[in-house]
Amino acid sequence: MKGVLATIGALAALGGHPVWAQSTGECVPSALNIPEAKYPCLYADHRALFRVVAPDAQKVRVRIGPGFDMIKGPDGIWSVTTTPLVVGFHYYSLQIDGAVIADPSTQTYFGSGWQNSAIEVRADDAAFYEHREVPHGRVSQQLYHSKVTGQWRRAFVYTPPDYDSATRKSYPVLYLLHGWGEDETGWYRQGHVDDILDNLIAAKKATPMIVVMDNLNAVKPGESAALFAARGLVPPPSDAPPVPPSRGAPPAAAGRGAGPGAADRGAGGPLGRPTYTEMMLTDLVPMIERTYRVRPGRENRAMAGLSMGGAQTFATALTNLDKFAYIGGFSGNCGGFGRGNEAPDMKTVCGGAFADPTAFNAKVKVLFLGIGSAEGPGTRSFSETLTNTGVRNVYFESSGTAHEWLTWRRAFNDFAPRLFK
Amino acid sequence: MKGVLATIGALAALGGHPVWAQSTGECVPSALNIPEAKYPCLYADHRALFRVVAPDAQKVRVRIGPGFDMIKGPDGIWSVTTTPLVVGFHYYSLQIDGAVIADPSTQTYFGSGWQNSAIEVRADDAAFYEHREVPHGRVSQQLYHSKVTGQWRRAFVYTPPDYDSATRKSYPVLYLLHGWGEDETGWYRQGHVDDILDNLIAAKKATPMIVVMDNLNAVKPGESAALFAARGLVPPPSDAPPVPPSRGAPPAAAGRGAGPGAADRGAGGPLGRPTYTEMMLTDLVPMIERTYRVRPGRENRAMAGLSMGGAQTFATALTNLDKFAYIGGFSGNCGGFGRGNEAPDMKTVCGGAFADPTAFNAKVKVLFLGIGSAEGPGTRSFSETLTNTGVRNVYFESSGTAHEWLTWRRAFNDFAPRLFK
């Protein structure tokens, strides 16, 4: 008996326990979980343990990275430990007997057009976007009525720490856009833009500024919203009266995809959506300049965005250089951001905005191109082509990250200190 | 042939179509759906049509009201049309082969301790909480560090329309609490508190005020958070090392309940949670008075809450009448709010706060008790007992509503105009 116990002890010491064999150290709940939820949790090597209650299900899968089939335990709870995840913020979903749904254990985040679950693998450099003991700005909900779309719209507005007390001071403004399938909540919830700026301002690295986080979806009555709609919206019954085409027919596929392909991600195309530009210049900018203490003029106005929001930024700002002096695209621009590496024609790309580099450089104080190192060489080669053509620009690469929020937090952290100097 | 067509036409006119037989008129998407989602939708008689993609599931159910089993169509999509729903905002969930999850078609709302789906049946009197063309206040996220809990906390703060322009004006403050399983987002998302106040202020019915929406969950290190945790949190593997009791063992049941029972709803008990009171008076109130332009003194300070937040309000305010002159409980107070109708002993109930009605009336400018008519007679009889004892109070009843947000929006709309007059 003593020998058996000793053997068990030795096995345990060597990690021989049947369930915890694969676990080294404590599994720490993801910071994005709902209060008190212990799963999903993360090991020090970035493997994640997911657990889901689905006692009568036949097949349960967690859709993160390559996807992982879960295994049902005797208690009716399904579990899986993944391979190590990349650092940063990841949307994910569960698939339970064919239904793609959010994990009820996490807070939800609007991405891919619906309320996704998400998990955060803390990065070593996380301090730059974490909440610290520094003076804090405020993020406010700002509704406004759009003449262009005929609808009420919502933006979130960051005002810097001294905004409420320095009541005679006015500020420059950055207009900041989310990506495909996201909304105006993305930059302050997934992006931590308030904490990044609070920390930069406290360190005297960034000029205090107002940041306007708007919703990229703007369609006029009758315009199709198809590009902005979620994948996998539930279609109407097949014997129901057909939906008039003007209201936008839902996609035929019944599954809910993880997101668009690379080609879709920068959608909006080289020239973006003219309706957004019109709405922004007609409704949003005047409302902001009427409502907040804003410093006037193009040298106090910047625009940036991620992915589809980067494409929209280039489309809007490059055609309105009398209004914007600072332009940023994070994993999205007008000339190449993904896997492609063909050199574009600098005379015609981006609507010919770079055809006269000297004139361009005289107007644009910062042209910023950010990308994750795992996203491919397209943005780097676009930046190099711009440089070779004589167009001054800044290239930023986030090490080891993909088309995800850690790339965009890091890009913003590099971009913001360059503004309004 | 003509006869057959005529018969079909007659059947159709009588509602004889096999699928649409039960449908009268258009099914309008719920206002809480994600963009472009057509389901759930509502008929004019308040029946709701739910549709869910779950091609391989054996059993799918929508958990709203009594609950409704869904039926699988040939396209693998499950559907059900409910019986008529009560007007207002309803949390709901789906059950797919035993897994209780949110409907991916709706925005999510924090309730019952997790991110629920929800549906809104528009009330005839909805205009009072809808966004209209009036001057708007701002809702801002406000983080603060608590010495009592040792943690960063988050509140949302409503500032009235003239706050940013009238920079020398100061304002009275209402502290407003959510209910069990909810959080600091409840009052401005589910409750529309900003629109209600904007509309009341525009109509000159309410005094412009600051409203602080805090999170009721406040525990010191080592204190159990059990009462505040979600039902049905996924427990750890049964062969995992036991969780130390000080961190709060998760509930044993694996299912996710629709919410607590009536007894639970006012939890916090007659005296509420002393830790919240301590945190509020030590950390929250001083932070608000340091950060915003606040009019000092008890006559400029109100406290109210719903359900568990009502119980907490009475516990905090009745023991700190030197700090609060206005007290409101919506479906939650210290003396009776639910189905019970036993008359409490006025000498001892609520910690003896009403033992001297003359002294109480001299201090408390408004004592407000709100309830939904479907919640039972407890609050009405408590109000009557208070009145008979000589304690001045206001009783408000929301017609035809239960323990839900339409009750609380209406109660708030009646309460707010009584403050700071």
Side-chain angles (χ1 to χ4, degrees):
Chain A
M1 182 64 182
K2 195 179 173 186
V4 173
L5 282 175
T7 306
I8 291 174
L11 272 173
L14 291 166
H17 188 285
V19 163
W20 296 96
Q22 54 188 346
S23 315
T24 49
E26 193 185 1
C27 196
V28 179
S30 162
L32 310 185
N33 289 0
I34 56 172
E36 304 297 311
K38 296 185 170 39
Y39 307 95
C41 60
L42 288 147
Y43 294 103
D45 63 359
H46 299 174
R47 286 174 305 123
L49 169 57
F50 292 86
R51 281 170 67 74
V52 181
V53 177
D56 308 320
Q58 301 304 304
K59 184 170 182 186
V60 180
R61 196 172 157 77
V62 56
R63 292 156 57 101
I64 191 167
F68 297 89
D69 287 331
M70 303 183 79
I71 293 162
K72 188 177 180 178
D75 49 6
I77 299 176
W78 298 71
S79 299
V80 70
T81 300
T82 66
T83 50
L85 303 177
V86 174
V87 289
F89 176 101
H90 310 291
Y91 296 116
Y92 76 94
S93 57
L94 301 175
Q95 189 160 12
I96 299 181
D97 287 349
V100 177
I101 48 98
D103 184 344
S105 296
T106 84
Q107 299 288 359
T108 52
Y109 297 84
F110 202 75
S112 302
W114 68 302
Q115 292 285 355
N116 265 304
S117 37
I119 186 170
E120 177 90 36
V121 185
R122 190 179 182 280
D124 286 341
D125 62 347
F128 81 87
Y129 63 79
E130 287 180 337
H131 199 76
R132 304 219 295 270
E133 288 271 18
V134 297
H136 297 295
R138 288 167 73 191
V139 173
S140 306
Q141 176 176 269
Q142 178 70 56
L143 283 88
Y144 64 102
H145 192 267
S146 165
K147 282 178 256 166
V148 170
T149 69
Q151 294 182 311
W152 282 100
R153 296 175 51 83
R154 184 172 73 162
F156 284 90
V157 178
Y158 167 88
T159 49
D162 64 354
Y163 187 89
D164 288 339
S165 55
T167 55
R168 287 164 184 225
K169 191 173 164 187
S170 60
Y171 299 82
V173 182
L174 164 64
Y175 293 87
L176 188 60
L177 290 174
H178 58 84
W180 177 88
E182 296 173 335
D183 70 9
E184 68 275 21
T185 61
W187 268 108
Y188 88 89
R189 295 194 67 223
Q190 291 93 306
H192 296 276
V193 76
D194 48 345
D195 286 315
I196 297 175
L197 262 180
D198 288 346
N199 294 335
L200 287 172
I201 291 169
K204 301 198 185 306
K205 290 183 183 167
T207 302
M209 67 184 84
I210 292 169
V211 181
V212 177
M213 296 162 270
D214 194 37
N215 187 317
L216 187 46
N217 302 295
V219 289
K220 297 182 185 183
E223 264 186 343
S224 166
L227 252 180
F228 305 108
R231 295 301 163 97
L233 288 172
V234 184
S238 51
D239 55 354
V243 178
S246 68
R247 297 183 55 194
R256 183 178 296 273
D264 257 5
R265 284 187 187 135
L271 292 178
R273 304 261 129 191
T275 301
Y276 186 79
T277 299
E278 183 186 349
M279 188 290 304
M280 181 180 173
L281 299 180
T282 306
D283 297 316
L284 177 65
V285 173
M287 180 279 293
I288 291 294
E289 302 199 348
R290 208 165 52 229
T291 310
Y292 296 85
R293 299 195 309 275
V294 170
R295 226 177 279 168
R298 66 183 294 281
E299 303 214 344
N300 293 305
R301 223 180 271 127
M303 186 171 179
L306 72 92
S307 193
M308 183 190 278
Q312 183 67 54
T313 294
F314 278 67
T316 300
L318 292 180
T319 52
N320 290 280
L321 289 181
D322 59 321
K323 297 188 178 65
F324 300 94
Y326 300 87
I327 303 170
F330 315 147
S331 309
N333 53 61
C334 62
F337 67 93
R339 298 178 183 82
N341 54 4
E342 324 76 39
D345 177 351
M346 281 293 126
K347 291 288 177 201
T348 57
V349 71
C350 305
F354 307 118
D356 181 347
T358 308
F360 185 87
N361 291 341
K363 279 191 173 173
V364 176
K365 290 181 156 268
V366 172
L367 178 71
F368 183 97
L369 303 171
I371 196 78
S373 67
E375 292 191 79
T379 296
R380 183 199 295 262
S381 73
F382 182 47
S383 167
E384 287 169 354
T385 308
L386 284 168
T387 303
N388 294 340
T389 314
V391 176
R392 202 175 49 228
N393 70 94
V394 176
Y395 174 72
F396 172 82
E397 192 174 289
S398 163
S399 176
T401 60
H403 201 75
E404 293 193 322
W405 277 97
L406 185 55
T407 297
W408 306 322
R409 292 175 195 156
R410 285 175 174 166
F412 179 82
N413 191 52
D414 192 272
F415 176 65
R418 302 175 187 275
L419 301 178
F420 313 123
K421 292 275 167 85
Chain B
M1 182 66 182
K2 197 179 172 187
V4 173
L5 281 175
T7 307
I8 291 173
L11 271 173
L14 292 165
H17 188 286
V19 162
W20 296 97
Q22 53 187 345
S23 314
T24 49
E26 192 185 0
C27 196
V28 179
S30 161
L32 310 185
N33 289 0
I34 56 172
E36 306 296 312
K38 295 185 171 38
Y39 307 95
C41 60
L42 288 148
Y43 294 104
D45 64 358
H46 299 174
R47 286 173 305 123
L49 169 56
F50 293 86
R51 280 172 66 75
V52 180
V53 178
D56 307 320
Q58 301 305 303
K59 185 172 182 187
V60 180
R61 197 173 157 76
V62 55
R63 292 156 57 101
I64 191 167
F68 297 89
D69 288 331
M70 303 183 79
I71 293 161
K72 188 177 180 177
D75 49 6
I77 298 177
W78 298 70
S79 297
V80 71
T81 300
T82 66
T83 51
L85 303 176
V86 174
V87 289
F89 176 102
H90 310 293
Y91 295 117
Y92 76 93
S93 57
L94 301 175
Q95 187 160 15
I96 299 182
D97 287 349
V100 178
I101 49 98
D103 184 343
S105 296
T106 85
Q107 300 287 0
T108 51
Y109 296 85
F110 202 75
S112 302
W114 68 302
Q115 292 285 356
N116 265 303
S117 37
I119 186 169
E120 176 91 36
V121 184
R122 191 178 181 280
D124 286 340
D125 62 347
F128 81 87
Y129 63 79
E130 287 180 338
H131 199 76
R132 304 219 297 269
E133 289 271 17
V134 297
H136 297 295
R138 288 167 72 191
V139 172
S140 307
Q141 176 176 268
Q142 179 70 57
L143 282 89
Y144 64 102
H145 193 266
S146 165
K147 282 179 253 159
V148 170
T149 69
Q151 294 181 312
W152 282 99
R153 295 174 53 84
R154 184 173 74 162
F156 284 91
V157 178
Y158 167 87
T159 49
D162 64 354
Y163 187 89
D164 288 339
S165 55
T167 54
R168 286 165 185 227
K169 192 173 163 187
S170 59
Y171 299 81
V173 183
L174 164 64
Y175 294 86
L176 188 60
L177 290 173
H178 59 84
W180 178 89
E182 295 171 337
D183 70 10
E184 68 275 19
T185 63
W187 267 108
Y188 88 90
R189 296 194 66 223
Q190 291 94 305
H192 296 276
V193 77
D194 47 346
D195 286 316
I196 298 174
L197 262 180
D198 288 346
N199 293 335
L200 287 171
I201 291 169
K204 300 200 185 306
K205 289 183 183 166
T207 302
M209 66 184 85
I210 292 169
V211 181
V212 177
M213 296 162 269
D214 194 39
N215 187 318
L216 186 47
N217 302 295
V219 289
K220 296 182 186 182
E223 264 185 342
S224 167
L227 252 180
F228 304 108
R231 293 302 161 98
L233 288 171
V234 184
S238 51
D239 54 355
V243 178
S246 67
R247 296 182 57 193
R256 183 177 297 272
D264 257 4
R265 284 186 187 137
L271 293 176
R273 303 261 132 190
T275 300
Y276 185 79
T277 299
E278 183 185 348
M279 188 289 303
M280 181 180 173
L281 300 181
T282 307
D283 297 316
L284 176 64
V285 173
M287 180 279 293
I288 291 293
E289 303 200 346
R290 208 164 52 229
T291 309
Y292 297 85
R293 298 194 310 276
V294 169
R295 226 177 279 166
R298 66 183 293 280
E299 304 212 345
N300 293 305
R301 222 180 272 127
M303 187 172 179
L306 73 90
S307 193
M308 184 191 276
Q312 183 67 54
T313 293
F314 278 67
T316 300
L318 292 180
T319 52
N320 290 279
L321 289 181
D322 58 322
K323 298 189 177 64
F324 300 93
Y326 300 87
I327 303 170
F330 315 147
S331 308
N333 53 60
C334 62
F337 66 95
R339 299 177 182 83
N341 56 2
E342 323 78 36
D345 178 350
M346 281 293 128
K347 291 288 177 199
T348 57
V349 71
C350 304
F354 307 118
D356 181 346
T358 309
F360 185 88
N361 291 341
K363 280 192 172 173
V364 177
K365 290 180 157 270
V366 173
L367 178 71
F368 184 96
L369 303 171
I371 196 79
S373 67
E375 292 190 78
T379 296
R380 183 199 294 263
S381 74
F382 181 47
S383 168
E384 287 168 355
T385 308
L386 283 168
T387 303
N388 295 340
T389 314
V391 176
R392 203 175 49 228
N393 70 95
V394 176
Y395 175 73
F396 172 81
E397 192 174 289
S398 164
S399 176
T401 60
H403 201 74
E404 293 192 323
W405 276 98
L406 185 55
T407 297
W408 306 322
R409 292 175 195 156
R410 286 175 174 167
F412 179 81
N413 190 53
D414 192 273
F415 176 65
R418 303 174 186 275
L419 300 179
F420 313 124
K421 292 273 165 85

